Amino acid sequence: MTEHTLTVAGVAVDTRHWIGGERVASAETFTDVSPIDGSVLGEISRGTAAEADLAVAAAKAAFPAWAATSRAERARILHAVADGVEKRIEDLAIVETTDNGALLRSHRRGVMPRVAHNFRFFADWLLKLDHEDFETRGHTNHVSWDPAGPSVLITPWNAPLMLSTWKVAPALAAGNTVVLKPAEWTPLTASLLADIAAEAGLPAGVLNIVQGYGSEIGDALTSHPDVRRISFTGSVPTAQRITQSAAANLTPLSLELGGKSPLLVFADADLDLAVDLAVEQYDNAGQVCLAATRILVEETVAEEFTRRFAEKAAAIVQGDPRDEATDIGPNIHERQLEKIDGFVRRAVDAGARAVIGGHCGEGRYYAPTLLTDVAQDSEIVQEEVFGPVLTLQTFTTEDEAVQLANDTRFGLAATLATGDRDRAARVTQRLVAGTVWVNCFFVRDLQAPFGGSRHSGVGREGGTWSFDFYCDLKNTVTAPKGWKDHG
């Protein structure tokens, strides 16, 4: 390990920022720690307003040429980035698992291939992005998507590279230049992405990556007058600060925030399927914004559902995420573990009962937990825990189920288990959510709109919606007359 390089399972990772096509070190660093065993991975360059200014300046300087690059050439380069990701799936998988504690098998088989797909999808969508011309009293209307400018993308730690490229790929495809700030708890795969993008031929300054704390570099990025788009995935309080920072410059925002999503289980549902869907909510140690953490079960089947759930959950293997047999790994940080445990302890003190779990394991592992006897207005039902903690409540009517489902300040997603097609249509139409899954979970297509309602976010991304956000839409109206014939 050299001064600016650390090694993770044999993979070299540069710890400096990537600005204007060059590595840039900061005078100060912060320590990156693996949640698997608490081991120190290395010291990472800790950016401040100075690095924010450098990165935005680089993005601004590179913008005119990149915006003028043809759609076909931008798409070709994004496909080359995808090729580079696919060549390094094993490196990316082991580094990300070590850095954030998610399952290695998932990174190998699903997450990192999805990273490559993000680039390919938006490259291909760019080439077919179009709106049919239309007529107004003989005048022709033509809609176009113009690149907006430098874009700041701030991403979370629960799926670092996949969620980063979900933003980076459409921003670059749109013709924008990018400053990416990964979460300080999981900075490593973003650094590898910089290497991959450079090798793919992405021009210097088109993608810039800066590391550090939100209070030190994030605020400088989101308040910068030369930034034309900000996309953020994370918590509501951080989004409120970003919104205030962006307000002075009227910088457009896309915010994908927290969730407290329900899983509605009706008596006519396939109960084994419903149990499988419920247990699946422990995925990634519960660190999934879309997770249906509030299980709402029709009273007549609640006892049987709970029995089957406890049996199914008992088979979950919690341990080292690098082990193929492991089902869920550690939580990301001691601070997060303390937050999770605090939620559960306060709930139990208020009268909740732990059907399973309810306690910390060794290290940063929290036991999968199911709490019953919880009140609708309680903290554990209303606030996002972001850990392997589910609550179970019962209902007796369809109206009550919908009322309970919608009775939080969030509206990111909802999951519904029923054997009645008519009921599914009625209930999904009434649920407040950006995404509703019926008898399934986490089926996502990049061409679909994605985002949340209420405090779960602002705006939608995916497919054309991503280009609508990252571009300035223009309508050109042309008269049928007034032309001169130049022969």
Side-chain angles (χ1 to χ4, degrees):
M1 186 163 59
T2 64
E3 181 183 1
H4 297 300
T5 305
L6 58 84
T7 303
V8 178
V11 181
V13 184
D14 200 299
T15 61
R16 295 170 292 180
H17 313 285
W18 178 253
I19 300 174
E22 297 180 350
R23 290 292 179 177
V24 176
S26 293
E28 301 293 328
T29 63
F30 63 92
T31 304
D32 188 27
V33 176
S34 174
I36 298 173
D37 54 13
S39 61
V40 173
L41 298 177
E43 296 297 317
I44 311 299
S45 280
R46 177 174 168 177
T48 63
E51 285 81 8
D53 287 342
L54 280 176
V56 173
K60 183 179 180 181
F63 173 68
W66 182 244
T69 300
S70 70
R71 287 187 177 191
E73 178 61 8
R74 292 203 302 263
R76 184 194 67 78
I77 292 175
L78 292 185
H79 274 291
V81 174
D83 292 341
V85 169
E86 288 174 346
K87 290 175 183 176
R88 300 200 65 182
I89 279 179
E90 184 64 24
D91 290 349
L92 293 166
I94 189 60
V95 169
E96 187 132 302
T97 289
T98 306
D99 207 18
N100 90 323
L103 299 185
L104 179 58
R105 72 179 192 223
S106 295
H107 282 142
R108 283 171 170 160
R109 301 169 193 170
V111 177
M112 296 310 162
R114 173 62 182 268
V115 168
H117 177 63
N118 286 346
F119 285 103
R120 295 200 192 284
F121 173 87
F122 285 107
D124 292 341
W125 200 266
L126 169 66
L127 296 180
K128 62 183 180 182
L129 186 67
D130 192 24
H131 190 293
E132 186 176 337
D133 289 353
F134 55 97
E135 297 294 319
T136 305
R137 299 190 300 275
H139 296 63
T140 301
N141 292 262
H142 176 74
V143 176
S144 58
W145 286 261
D146 293 352
S151 302
V152 165
L153 314 178
I154 302 175
T155 54
W157 44 259
N158 57 322
L161 192 59
M162 194 277 286
L163 291 178
S164 292
T165 56
W166 159 254
K167 300 175 186 296
V168 169
L172 295 180
N176 292 358
T177 50
V178 165
V179 179
L180 169 66
K181 194 203 90 65
E184 58 267 25
W185 287 348
T186 54
L188 300 186
T189 48
S191 181
L192 293 179
L193 178 63
D195 297 334
I196 292 169
E199 291 169 6
L202 192 69
V206 173
L207 173 64
N208 306 276
I209 298 172
V210 291
Q211 302 147 160
Y213 298 115
S215 60
E216 296 177 351
I217 192 168
D219 289 346
L221 290 170
T222 55
S223 63
H224 202 290
D226 290 333
V227 170
R228 296 314 315 138
R229 293 293 186 272
I230 298 170
S231 181
F232 168 75
T233 297
S235 71
V236 171
T238 302
Q240 291 169 331
R241 293 197 298 272
I242 290 173
T243 301
Q244 291 171 350
S245 293
N249 301 308
L250 295 178
T251 308
L253 296 163
S254 176
L255 305 173
E256 195 265 284
L257 309 177
K260 195 69 180 176
S261 302
L263 165 56
L264 293 76
V265 180
F266 287 91
D268 57 25
D270 178 330
L271 213 55
D272 286 333
L273 171 63
V275 167
D276 287 345
L277 292 174
V279 173
E280 191 177 350
Q281 307 310 311
Y282 290 130
D283 183 50
N284 202 23
Q287 299 168 142
V288 178
C289 57
L290 294 161
T293 56
R294 296 183 296 128
I295 305 174
L296 309 175
V297 185
E298 193 163 352
E299 194 172 80
T300 56
V301 295
E303 184 176 348
E304 179 64 12
F305 175 91
T306 304
R307 183 188 67 79
R308 295 192 198 182
F309 178 93
E311 289 179 357
K312 182 84 173 179
I316 293 173
V317 177
Q318 187 173 31
D320 191 322
R322 296 166 295 192
D323 189 330
E324 280 282 321
T326 297
D327 296 313
I328 62 173
N331 290 98
I332 186 70
H333 195 277
E334 290 176 1
R335 191 189 312 164
Q336 186 68 15
L337 196 70
E338 291 169 1
K339 175 186 172 185
I340 296 165
D341 194 47
F343 269 111
V344 173
R345 288 181 181 274
R346 290 189 297 274
V348 171
D349 288 344
R353 178 174 67 89
V355 176
I356 61 170
H359 57 83
C360 294
E362 295 183 6
R364 296 182 181 177
Y365 295 80
Y366 200 87
T369 297
L370 177 67
L371 300 176
T372 60
D373 302 330
V374 293
Q376 179 64 21
D377 62 355
S378 63
E379 176 193 53
I380 196 67
V381 170
Q382 293 293 324
E383 299 298 327
E384 185 177 43
V385 177
F386 221 62
V389 178
L390 310 180
T391 60
L392 189 148
Q393 299 166 270
T394 61
F395 62 85
T396 57
T397 68
E398 188 175 295
D399 284 344
E400 184 185 9
V402 172
Q403 189 275 326
L404 290 172
N406 288 340
D407 188 22
T408 74
R409 64 192 173 112
F410 298 104
L412 186 56
T415 303
L416 172 64
T418 179
D420 186 329
R421 290 182 184 273
D422 291 337
R423 167 172 280 148
R426 287 194 307 271
V427 172
T428 55
Q429 199 258 340
R430 298 173 64 190
L431 292 173
V432 179
T435 301
V436 180
W437 287 288
V438 180
N439 293 329
C440 61
F441 177 66
F442 216 54
V443 179
R444 286 182 60 187
D445 192 306
L446 283 177
Q447 65 185 312
F450 179 75
S453 303
R454 297 175 175 169
H455 280 207
S456 287
V458 175
R460 295 292 185 271
E461 296 186 39
T464 300
W465 290 274
S466 286
F467 289 95
D468 288 349
F469 171 68
Y470 286 111
C471 292
D472 289 324
L473 269 71
K474 179 191 295 177
N475 185 45
T476 302
V477 184
T478 304
K481 57 186 179 180
W483 304 103
K484 294 182 178 180
D485 185 1
H486 294 287

